[in-house]
C-alpha cells in the first residue's frame, strides 16, 4: 500500500503542473500578449521549477542508507561466495593428515569418509548470479511479464494523451487559437488539463491505494488491462460516430479509460516489480521493467505522434485507439505470468533457497 501511495502522488503532480503553468503565465500575461515570443521564457521557468523537487529527491536518495534487508542479503551472498579454494585446500590438508594417523584396519573407512568429505566440499552453496537466476524460465517469465506489461501500458498511456486536446475542446476549454489572446488560450488549456486529471486520473490512483491490499496487485492489473481493451475497442471503432452524436458520451468513455489506467496497470506495473524479485536482483529487475515502459513511451510519442494526423487533422486517432486496444490485450495476457503478492511477505514471495545452488 505504501509503494502505491508514493506512486499515486504522480496524480497530484499531474494536477500541479498545469497550476504552475497558469501561475507563471499570469505573471507574464502582459509580456506574452504584447509579444508571443516571450512564451519562450515562460516554458523555461516552468521546466526549471519542475527540476526543484527532482534535485531534492536526488539528494535525499543519495544520502539514504540501503534497507537492512538489502544489507543482510548482500552480506549473506558475499559469505556464500567466500574464497572456496582456500577452504577446500585446508579441509583436504586436514583430511590427509588424519588419514596418515589412521591404522591400516581403518583404512577402508577412512577412504570412504574422504570421498564423502570431498563430495561435500566440491559442491559449496553459492549465490546465483543475475543471469543464472533468470536463465530459468519460471523466473524469466516473471521478468518478461513485468517488462512487457509496462511497455504495453506506456504505449497507450502516453499515446492516449494525443487525445487530450479533443477532450479539452469537447468540454469547452480549448479556446480560440486565432482570436483569443495568447495568455488566455494557454490558461484555458491548463484549466482543461486540470479537469481531465481530476475527472479520471487522480481518483483512479487513490482507488488503487485503498483497494490494493484487498483486491490484490495481479487482480487489479488484469481488471485494468481488460477494461482498457474493451474501452479502446469501443472508442477506436466508433470514434467519429461517438464524437458526432454525443460529446458527453465521448468524455465519459475517455474518463473511464483514464480511471482504469490508474485503477489498474499504471500503478501495479510499478508496484509489482518491487515485490516479486529477490532482494539482490530487485533493483535491477525493476529497472529493466521501468526501462521497458519508457521504451513504450518513446514508441508512442516518436512513432504514433507522426500518424495521428494521417489523412487530415486527428483523422488517424481512431486507428491508434484500435492499436492501443491490442497493446492492452497483450498486457492482459502477460500479466498471467506474474505471481500474486497480496498478503505475503517478501520472504514468502521470493524463496531464498532459489537464490543459491
Amino acid at each position: 500500500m505504501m509503494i502505491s501511495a508514493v506512486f499515486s502522488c504522480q496524480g497530484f503532480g499531474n494536477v500541479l503542473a498545469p497550476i504552475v503553468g497558469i501561475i507563471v503565465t499570469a505573471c507574464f500575461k502582459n509580456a506574452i500578449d504584447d509579444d508571443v515570443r516571450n512564451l519562450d521564457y515562460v516554458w523555461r521557468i516552468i521546466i526549471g521549477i519542475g527540476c526543484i523537487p527532482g534535485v531534492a529527491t536526488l539528494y535525499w536518495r543519495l544520502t539514504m542508507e540501503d534497507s537492512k534487508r538489502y544489507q543482510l542479503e548482500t552480506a549473506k551472498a558475499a559469505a556464500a561466495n567466500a574464497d572456496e579454494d582456500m577452504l577446500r585446500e585446508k579441509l583436504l590438508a586436514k583430511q590427509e593428515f588424519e588419514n596418515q594417523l589412521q591404522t591400516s584396519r581403518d583404512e577402508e573407512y577412512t577412504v570412504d569418509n574422504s570421498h564423502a568429505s570431498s563430495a561435500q566440499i566440491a559442491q559449496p552453496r553459492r549465490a546465483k548470479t543475475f543471469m543464472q537466476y533468470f536463465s530459468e524460465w519460471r523466473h524469466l517469465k516473471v521478468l518478461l511479464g513485468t517488462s512487457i506489461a509496462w511497455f504495453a501500458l506506456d504505449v497507450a498511456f502516453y499515446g492516449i494523451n494525443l487525445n487530450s486536446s479533443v477532450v479539452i475542446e469537447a468540454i469547452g476549454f480549448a479556446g480560440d487559437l486565432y482570436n483569443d489572446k495568447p495568455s488566455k488560450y494557454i490558461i484555458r488549456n491548463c484549466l482543461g488539463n486540470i479537469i481531465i486529471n481530476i475527472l479520471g486520473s487522480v481518483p483512479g490512483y487513490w482507488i488503487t491505494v485503498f483497494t490494493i491490499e484487498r483486491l490484490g496487485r495481479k487482480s487489479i492489473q488484469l481488471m485494468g488491462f481488460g477494461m482498457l481493451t474493451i474501452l479502446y475497442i469501443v472508442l477506436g471503432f466508433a470514434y467519429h460516430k461517438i464524437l458526432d452524436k454525443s460529446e458527453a458520451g465521448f468524455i465519459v468513455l475517455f474518463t473511464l479509460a483514464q480511471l482504469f489506467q490508474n485503477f489498474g496497470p499504471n500503478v501495479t506495473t510499478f508496484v509489482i516489480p518491487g515485490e516479486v524479485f529477490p532482494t539482490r536482483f530487485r533493483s535491477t529487475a525493476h529497472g529493466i521493467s521501468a526501462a521497458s515502459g519508457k521504451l513504450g513511451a518513446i514508441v508512442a510519442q516518436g512513432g504514433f505522434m507522426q500518424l495521428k494526423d494521417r489523412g487530415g487533422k486527428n483523422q488517424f486517432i481512431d486507428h491508434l485507439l484500435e492499436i492501443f486496444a491490442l497493446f492492452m490485450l497483450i498486457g492482459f495476457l502477460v500479466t498471467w505470468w506474474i505471481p500474486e503478492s497480496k498478503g505475503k511477505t517478501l520472504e514468502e514471495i521470493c524463496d531464498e533457497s532459489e537464490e543459491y545452488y
Side-chain angles (χ1 to χ4, degrees):
M1 181 176 179
M2 185 176 294
I3 297 176
S4 60
V6 170
F7 183 78
S8 295
C9 289
Q10 184 183 72
F12 294 137
N14 291 339
V15 174
L16 184 60
I19 291 175
V20 171
I22 291 172
I23 293 172
V24 177
T25 301
C27 291
F28 289 86
K29 179 178 180 298
N30 293 332
I32 294 171
D33 292 339
D34 291 339
D35 185 353
V36 72
R37 288 176 295 182
N38 287 323
L39 277 173
D40 186 62
Y41 300 104
V42 172
W43 77 262
R44 292 176 188 274
I45 292 172
I46 293 172
I47 294 295
I49 292 173
C51 291
I52 295 174
V55 171
T57 303
L58 177 63
Y59 169 76
W60 287 326
R61 181 60 191 94
L62 291 175
T63 56
M64 183 187 301
E65 184 181 8
D66 287 321
S67 68
K68 298 299 181 183
R69 187 189 303 273
Y70 177 79
Q71 294 180 34
L72 177 62
E73 287 298 323
T74 52
K76 287 166 62 179
N81 291 333
D83 190 350
E84 298 167 24
D85 291 336
M86 182 178 295
L87 178 62
R88 183 180 291 108
E89 289 178 4
K90 288 182 178 180
L91 291 175
L92 288 174
K94 179 180 179 182
Q95 189 65 55
E96 184 179 354
F97 176 73
E98 291 176 351
N99 288 343
Q100 293 175 355
L101 296 179
Q102 295 297 327
T103 62
S104 58
R105 185 182 59 183
D106 298 327
E107 183 177 357
E108 183 177 351
Y109 169 78
T110 303
V111 171
D112 292 339
N113 187 52
S114 176
H115 286 310
S117 300
S118 298
Q120 184 177 7
I121 296 168
Q123 297 182 359
R125 189 169 182 261
R126 288 182 56 83
K128 292 179 181 178
T129 64
F130 181 90
M131 294 301 295
Q132 287 172 326
Y133 182 82
F134 286 105
S135 64
E136 301 176 35
W137 171 245
R138 56 180 171 170
H139 300 141
L140 177 62
K141 71 177 182 179
V142 179
L143 180 59
L144 289 175
T146 58
S147 299
I148 297 173
W150 206 332
F151 172 84
L153 166 73
D154 277 6
V155 168
F157 182 80
Y158 289 92
I160 198 65
N161 290 328
L162 304 174
N163 236 357
S164 61
S165 60
V166 178
V167 180
I168 291 173
E169 184 176 352
I171 63 179
F173 278 85
D176 190 330
L177 179 61
Y178 299 101
N179 297 319
D180 287 345
K181 291 183 177 180
S183 61
K184 180 181 178 181
Y185 180 81
I186 293 168
I187 290 173
R188 286 187 65 81
N189 273 270
C190 287
L191 288 171
N193 273 289
I194 293 172
I195 293 171
I196 289 174
N197 280 287
I198 291 176
L199 282 176
S201 295
V202 175
Y205 280 116
W206 291 95
I207 292 173
T208 302
V209 171
F210 293 112
T211 60
I212 195 168
E213 295 299 339
R214 295 182 181 180
L215 300 179
R217 291 86 165 129
K218 184 175 180 178
S219 299
I220 291 176
Q221 184 159 307
L222 285 169
M223 176 195 65
F225 274 130
M227 289 299 299
L228 288 170
T229 301
I230 295 170
L231 287 167
Y232 288 153
I233 288 174
V234 173
L235 284 168
F237 285 96
Y239 179 80
H240 295 292
K241 292 180 180 178
I242 295 172
L243 274 179
D244 292 340
K245 292 184 178 180
S246 176
E247 288 186 348
F250 180 82
I251 293 170
V252 170
L253 290 172
F254 183 86
T255 300
L256 287 173
Q258 294 284 84
L259 177 71
F260 282 105
Q261 273 185 340
N262 297 298
F263 180 34
N266 191 36
V267 175
T268 55
T269 51
F270 179 85
V271 173
I272 290 173
E275 297 179 337
V276 296
F277 299 110
T279 302
R280 289 187 300 112
F281 308 135
R282 189 170 298 132
S283 294
T284 303
H286 195 288
I288 291 172
S289 302
S292 301
K294 299 319 115 186
L295 179 61
I298 293 171
V299 170
Q301 294 292 314
F304 295 143
M305 176 68 80
Q306 310 303 318
L307 298 176
K308 79 179 187 74
D309 292 327
R310 187 177 180 181
K313 184 178 180 181
N314 294 331
Q315 291 303 303
F316 202 75
I317 285 183
D318 54 341
H319 299 302
L320 289 179
L321 290 167
E322 295 163 11
I323 294 171
F324 295 158
L326 176 61
F327 277 99
M328 295 302 94
L329 179 60
I330 293 172
F332 178 85
L333 295 176
V334 299
T335 298
W336 291 103
W337 289 344
I338 302 170
E340 176 58 76
S341 55
K342 180 186 72 172
K344 298 179 181 178
T345 65
L346 293 176
E347 289 79 9
E348 292 172 330
I349 299 168
C350 308
D351 185 359
E352 182 184 317
S353 63
E354 293 293 328
E355 300 179 49
Y356 299 88
Y357 66 93

